[in-house]
């Protein structure tokens, strides 16, 4: 292998020690999985935002609650209901069930309704925040894993120099270069993960805050409804 091939990216990776190659492979896998999750999370959060806006537009247009509930039955049977509509259906289902029993007081009806919406809210929170901990972990740990590979590679380079009578930059450069590739790969995995985590965390917080606001407003509507009957 000539000097040009030895200092090429593939040459540096293929000539690295086994441990450094394992570090590089780990970082590559972390980067690939992160990008898959970044794309999936971005798509889901965008859909959730559009779904919330569309549903709230129909909800606040003055539509009948029973009709609004029936309109979502087909989607609910397919399991494609989530977000703010899931809160609405959970609360309205429990509200209707308790009122039809005729034995529950208005306070008991509202307590059951709010409990059902809290359970639905917990499920939606899990959906919204899914995979964010993994992105946070990749963003915080990857640079250190890459640094470990770099330190190990440089140690091997200097260990090899101990057996040479005359060391030049040409003999040191390949070993140090292959070690620095591990740091570069660590940053390559970490930077997108950190940026995506910060962006998606802000979106998730906004969505969850909007869900809570809707749940409170819907609870107020049902409260007036149960006391007016």
């Amino acid at each position: 292998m000539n000097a040009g091939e030895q200092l090429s990216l593939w040459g540096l990776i293929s000539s690295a020690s086994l441990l450094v190659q394992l570090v590089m492979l780990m970082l590559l896998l972390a980067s690939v999985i992160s990008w898959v999750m970044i794309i999936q999370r971005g798509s889901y959060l965008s859909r959730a935002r559009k779904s919330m806006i569309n549903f709230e537009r129909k909800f606040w247009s003055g539509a009948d609650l029973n009709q609004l509930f029936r309109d979502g039955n087909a989607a609910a049977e397919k399991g494609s209901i989530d977000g703010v509509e899931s809160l609405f259906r959970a609360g309205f289902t429990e509200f209707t069930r308790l009122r039809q029993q005729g034995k529950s007081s208005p306070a008991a009806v509202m307590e059951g309704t709010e409990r059902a919406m809290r359970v639905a809210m917990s499920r939606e929170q899990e959906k919204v925040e899914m995979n964010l901990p993994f992105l946070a972990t990749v963003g915080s740990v990857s640079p250190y894993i890459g640094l470990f590979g770099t330190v190990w590679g440089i140690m091997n380079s200097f260990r090899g120099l101990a057996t040479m009578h005359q060391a030049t930059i040409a003999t040191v450069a390949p070993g140090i270069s292959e070690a620095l590739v591990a740091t570069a790969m660590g940053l390559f995995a970490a930077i997108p993960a950190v940026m995506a985590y910060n962006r998606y965390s802000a979106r998730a917080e906004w969505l969850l805050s909007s869900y809570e606001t809707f749940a409170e407003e819907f609870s107020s509507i049902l409260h007036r409804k149960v006391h007016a009957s």
Side-chain angles (χ1 to χ4, degrees):
M1 182 181 293
N2 58 43
E5 293 175 343
Q6 190 175 6
L7 291 178
S8 67
L9 181 60
W10 177 248
L12 293 173
I13 294 174
S14 61
S15 62
S17 65
L18 179 60
L19 181 60
V20 176
Q21 287 181 340
L22 290 175
V23 168
M24 293 179 181
L25 178 61
M26 184 186 304
L27 292 172
L28 178 61
L29 290 175
S31 179
V32 171
I33 295 173
S34 294
W35 274 107
V36 172
M37 291 183 177
I38 287 170
I39 295 172
Q40 289 179 341
R41 282 293 87 196
S43 177
Y44 176 82
L45 293 174
S46 295
R47 291 198 312 270
R49 180 178 180 276
K50 292 178 182 178
S51 175
M52 185 192 71
I53 293 174
N54 292 334
F55 181 79
E56 285 197 331
R57 185 182 296 116
K58 291 187 293 184
F59 182 85
W60 295 113
S61 66
D64 179 69
L65 296 182
N66 290 287
Q67 184 59 45
L68 191 60
F69 183 86
R70 288 192 293 269
D71 290 343
N73 285 341
E77 291 176 357
K78 298 178 181 178
S80 59
I81 292 292
D82 56 9
V84 71
E85 188 171 358
S86 178
L87 301 181
F88 164 76
R89 294 186 65 84
F92 192 73
T93 299
E94 186 67 10
F95 178 80
T96 303
R97 186 184 69 82
L98 292 174
R99 288 190 70 192
Q100 287 176 347
Q101 288 180 353
K103 299 179 182 179
S104 302
S105 64
V109 171
M110 290 309 304
E111 182 180 352
T113 300
E114 290 170 357
R115 183 169 55 249
M117 286 195 288
R118 284 196 299 269
V119 172
M121 182 70 183
S122 298
R123 292 172 180 166
E124 294 308 312
Q125 183 174 0
E126 292 178 1
K127 293 179 183 178
V128 168
E129 296 179 347
M130 186 181 296
N131 297 333
L132 291 184
F134 179 84
L135 293 178
T137 300
V138 171
S140 60
V141 173
S142 292
Y144 296 103
I145 296 177
L147 183 60
F148 170 76
T150 298
V151 172
W152 187 268
I154 291 176
M155 286 173 55
N156 284 338
S157 296
F158 282 108
R159 190 180 297 115
L161 289 178
T163 61
M164 296 182 181
H165 298 290
Q166 183 177 3
T168 64
I169 190 65
T171 58
V172 177
I176 295 179
S177 297
E178 72 186 33
L180 291 176
V181 171
T183 296
M185 292 185 68
L187 295 176
F188 180 78
I191 292 174
V194 170
M195 293 178 64
Y197 174 77
N198 291 335
R199 182 176 179 83
Y200 293 164
S201 293
R203 287 189 184 182
E205 185 177 352
W206 179 83
L207 274 174
L208 294 175
S209 177
S210 300
Y211 291 172
E212 290 177 357
T213 301
F214 173 83
E216 292 176 1
E217 293 172 337
F218 184 44
S219 180
S220 297
I221 292 174
L222 295 179
H223 185 273
R224 292 194 298 268
K225 189 178 181 67
V226 74
H227 283 85
S229 58

